[in-house]
Amino acid sequence: MCLIPANACAGTELVGAHEDALGTVVDFVLDTSTGAVTYVVVASGGFMGIGEERYALPWDYVRPLHGAKGLRWHCAAAQLPHQYRLASATALPQTGPPQDSAGTIAG
């Protein structure tokens, strides 16, 4: 087991499956009933906070990079999936991750 403080990840880069930069980790969302991390919140795009979008990505599809140098998103896409975009910088997801018709997490 390797433990990493959450504040060590905040401000680090989120990369895709092919090492492409997708955004910056800004926060984590916890499930209050279990205490587990449910989402990682990532800021992407924009310049100095203007025009950036925030995404709440399901924790099940994010993995730490070696040495707490950032996180890796499982998807090979060059952009973050629109269904995970938050309505505003202060919004939080109100439900679990989007699921497809088979009940698996979409993305």
Side-chain angles (χ1 to χ4, degrees):
M1 177 189 310
C2 179
L3 301 175
I4 301 171
N7 65 352
C9 291
T12 62
E13 189 172 54
L14 176 82
V15 298
H18 300 295
E19 302 295 326
D20 43 330
L22 297 176
T24 303
V25 176
V26 294
D27 211 346
F28 296 88
V29 179
L30 302 176
D31 180 336
T32 58
S33 64
T34 65
V37 173
T38 306
Y39 296 95
V40 58
V41 179
V42 174
S44 182
F47 179 72
M48 295 182 68
I50 298 172
E52 80 178 8
E53 294 182 324
R54 292 200 177 198
Y55 297 82
L57 304 174
W59 181 250
D60 290 343
Y61 289 105
V62 177
R63 296 290 175 257
L65 295 173
H66 183 71
K69 296 181 181 178
L71 300 174
R72 181 184 317 277
W73 172 244
H74 82 292
C75 187
Q79 295 181 345
L80 295 170
H82 182 74
Q83 74 258 32
Y84 298 123
R85 191 171 64 83
L86 296 174
S88 71
T90 58
L92 290 176
Q94 299 301 310
T95 62
Q99 296 184 350
D100 62 19
S101 60
T104 57
I105 295 175

